[in-house]
Amino acid sequence: MKKLLLAAPLLWALQGVALANDELRPAFKAMLDASFKTTGIAAKYRIYQLDFQAACSQPKPPPASVQKAIEAAQMQTIRYPADGHYFGDWREGEKIAISGRGLTWTDKTPTDNGGGCYNCHQMSHHEIAYGTIGPSLLNYGNVRGRSEDIIKYTWGKIWNAKAFNACSNMPRNGDAEILTEEQIRHLMAYLFDPASPVNKP
Amino acid sequence: MKHSVLAGLLAWAVCSGVQADSATDEIARYREMIADGNPSELFALQGEALWKQKRGPKNASLEQCDLGLGPGVVKGASARLPRYFKDTGKVEDLETRLMTCMQTLQGIDPKLVIDAPWGKGEKETMQALVAYIVTESNGEKIAIDMRPPQMKKMYELGKMAFYYRGGPMDFSCATCHGDKDKRIRLQDLPDLRTQAGAAAGWGTWPAYRVSNGQFWTMQHRLSDCFRQQRFPEPIYGSDVTIALSVYMAATGNGGTVLTPGIKR
């Protein structure tokens, strides 16, 4: 539950945001409470929001000051690999990027999830079934380079996309425990390895 | 005979769809091929028979059911749903309204519908009834009556639900349906914030799904989107599903109803 306790500046900032439909809030909450049930691993408490989720639940993103506060708090959650090893096997990474399984009420276990990256991103030169909610990551390593800064940024982005864009559509793969450190290493290899189909036509 | 041809076409549509550049083109071609026969017709025929059949503890038919245009009027009714019903004091969509009629006219406990798995028991009955009723609104305009204050409130609650982020992936409906011209893998996502997107997304459901040969009601569609959203399961006919339906239908007001739809 550590994630419920965000940095104090964020809480102050949030109090300044006039949420739309304030008077409907109680009715809305009662509606959600009465409308959902736990099925399998998809427990009912998932309808209760973290602070930043609430701040990002309007048609427009919150004011810049609130976004900054969210990003600063989310930045604190990023865990870089303790042994300094950022890269695994790109072949494993590809499987994780393609698989969109995991965490629904029809999934049996909370582990061994996919990253679902292809739901939103173009990645390799060969896979044409890609979504467009996120930007194309084709040639990622070649285009972005392989400096330490870029490697650390990319790890952080995969770990917690909200640290860089408060209301990003991209999940917090590491922070929300969707993927393991090992899986993120494989994805890093998929993005950066010169032999990966992301970088090699 | 008709069946095996159909099965062949479905298999063709599914297999060739995998290599296609655009899922939309494929569906358009598929639509052409079955221009004079929608697979939902079979469900609709069953539904019409069920509408007229005496069933339940009260051994009555649904022919006196008021879907909003008066007892027994089916033509055009689903193009005007969800709507506020004075007799129940609730906003109801087609499926919850049918549950009300099944209960009051036939004495069938709504729980039998709510608790049945998709496509089984009273949910199977519901699917067939829905297929029949929405066929009778095919080609009509979406015409949601937004004057009652209860509808305005449901719309606002639906809009809040549409943007409500949560769960382990922080998704809301807007994550997938809140921008124009997006897709997930090869599936086009309607932008449900806009009139055109909502009309296309709302107005073509319920639908026959080519990929699994099933007829899905709107409640089923919404439930599966919540599943992909990694939310807990919405209870069948619960207010969050009605509120979202009002939000989508009202946003799509004026668009054309093409039901039952045919989907990937």
Side-chain angles (χ1 to χ4, degrees):
Chain A
M1 284 291 86
K2 65 176 165 102
K3 285 160 218 145
L4 284 173
L5 304 167
L6 294 180
L10 172 59
L11 293 178
W12 294 329
L14 279 175
Q15 280 161 10
V17 187
L19 294 174
N21 297 307
D22 266 344
E23 72 286 0
L24 274 179
R25 286 274 142 199
F28 182 73
K29 194 181 172 304
M31 176 178 87
L32 292 188
D33 265 328
S35 294
F36 290 94
K37 62 176 183 186
T38 294
T39 301
I41 61 169
K44 183 175 169 179
Y45 71 75
R46 288 186 184 184
I47 57 172
Y48 303 115
Q49 289 179 315
L50 306 174
D51 288 345
F52 86 86
Q53 290 174 334
C56 295
S57 289
Q58 279 66 239
K60 298 247 175 309
S65 59
V66 175
Q67 292 189 46
K68 285 276 160 296
I70 291 172
E71 286 159 12
Q74 298 299 317
M75 195 65 88
Q76 302 299 314
T77 72
I78 298 174
R79 212 165 67 219
Y80 295 93
D83 58 4
H85 287 108
Y86 280 88
F87 300 107
D89 176 352
W90 68 259
R91 288 171 199 81
E92 291 304 313
E94 179 160 68
K95 289 183 211 154
I96 297 161
I98 288 175
S99 167
R101 80 169 288 282
L103 295 166
T104 74
W105 68 70
T106 48
D107 291 306
K108 292 284 172 286
T109 61
T111 57
D112 191 22
N113 301 321
C117 318
Y118 271 101
N119 283 341
C120 298
H121 294 288
Q122 178 181 29
M123 299 180 90
S124 105
H125 287 82
H126 309 296
E127 178 57 75
I128 57 145
Y130 58 84
T132 55
I133 293 175
S136 171
L137 302 175
L138 196 64
N139 291 316
Y140 191 82
N142 298 342
V143 170
R144 305 297 301 258
R146 296 173 175 89
S147 69
E148 202 187 320
D149 280 356
I150 283 296
I151 289 168
K152 277 194 80 176
Y153 156 73
T154 305
W155 180 277
K157 183 75 191 173
I158 298 174
W159 192 275
N160 188 342
K162 275 73 177 179
F164 305 89
N165 174 7
C167 297
S168 171
N169 279 334
M170 180 162 153
R172 294 162 292 128
N173 293 296
D175 181 48
E177 294 172 356
I178 299 164
L179 300 176
T180 63
E181 245 183 76
E182 190 61 18
Q183 287 178 306
I184 296 176
R185 276 194 198 93
H186 295 321
L187 286 168
M188 289 288 287
Y190 191 50
L191 288 171
F192 286 100
D193 196 320
S196 151
V198 169
N199 297 307
K200 204 174 157 184
Chain B
M1 182 55 211
K2 197 181 173 192
H3 276 77
S4 62
V5 173
L6 205 62
L9 288 182
L10 297 185
W12 169 84
V14 172
C15 299
S16 53
V18 176
Q19 284 121 29
D21 279 346
S22 157
T24 324
D25 294 351
E26 217 48 46
I27 292 286
R29 273 164 69 188
Y30 173 74
R31 261 185 224 261
E32 266 171 47
M33 290 189 71
I34 55 149
D36 36 29
N38 183 325
S40 294
E41 278 168 22
L42 298 168
F43 297 97
L45 281 172
Q46 278 170 25
E48 186 172 7
L50 280 161
W51 177 260
K52 295 173 178 161
Q53 188 186 323
K54 292 193 170 77
R55 287 195 335 124
K58 294 188 183 173
N59 195 35
S61 80
L62 288 169
E63 286 162 303
Q64 287 305 304
C65 176
D66 182 354
L67 295 170
L69 301 179
V73 182
V74 175
K75 185 111 192 84
S78 66
R80 290 163 180 78
L81 289 169
R83 73 191 294 148
Y84 173 67
F85 287 90
K86 283 206 180 95
D87 57 1
T88 54
K90 282 197 220 149
V91 175
E92 293 172 302
D93 70 347
L94 175 56
E95 290 163 74
T96 44
R97 186 61 187 172
L98 279 168
M99 281 200 286
T100 297
C101 286
M102 286 161 79
Q103 183 175 32
T104 53
L105 298 173
Q106 301 179 311
I108 296 172
D109 185 348
K111 273 190 74 65
L112 291 175
V113 186
I114 293 168
D115 293 343
W118 299 114
K120 300 266 158 54
E122 287 298 317
K123 279 247 185 38
E124 191 182 11
T125 307
M126 178 61 80
Q127 267 170 225
L129 286 168
V130 165
Y132 161 56
I133 290 161
V134 302
T135 302
E136 297 292 309
S137 281
N138 192 23
E140 303 241 352
K141 292 266 174 275
I142 303 172
I144 306 302
D145 181 358
M146 290 304 291
R147 285 168 304 178
Q150 293 87 348
M151 287 294 282
K152 293 196 178 103
K153 183 177 173 194
M154 272 308 212
Y155 174 92
E156 289 303 328
L157 292 172
K159 188 173 180 186
M160 287 161 88
F162 186 80
Y163 288 100
Y164 189 86
R165 300 184 76 158
M169 295 202 179
D170 313 324
F171 288 162
S172 70
C173 309
T175 307
C176 297
H177 299 289
D179 211 343
K180 52 179 185 327
D181 302 330
K182 295 290 180 194
R183 28 175 248 251
I184 283 200
R185 302 214 72 176
L186 289 180
Q187 289 166 5
D188 291 312
L189 299 165
D191 179 353
L192 296 171
R193 304 165 310 164
T194 64
Q195 194 276 336
W202 170 262
T204 55
W205 282 85
Y208 180 83
R209 299 195 70 217
V210 177
S211 54
N212 57 15
Q214 293 172 0
F215 180 84
W216 276 23
T217 66
M218 193 64 192
Q219 285 282 333
H220 198 166
R221 168 75 270 157
L222 284 178
S223 177
D224 201 62
C225 276
F226 270 124
R227 191 182 64 83
Q228 295 180 58
Q229 201 169 323
R230 272 72 181 183
F231 269 40
E233 189 176 2
I235 295 164
Y236 183 82
S238 60
D239 270 357
V240 76
T241 66
I242 308 291
L244 282 165
S245 294
V246 170
Y247 172 66
M248 290 189 284
T251 307
N253 242 342
T256 304
V257 175
L258 291 171
T259 51
I262 297 169
K263 301 283 170 177
R264 195 176 180 76

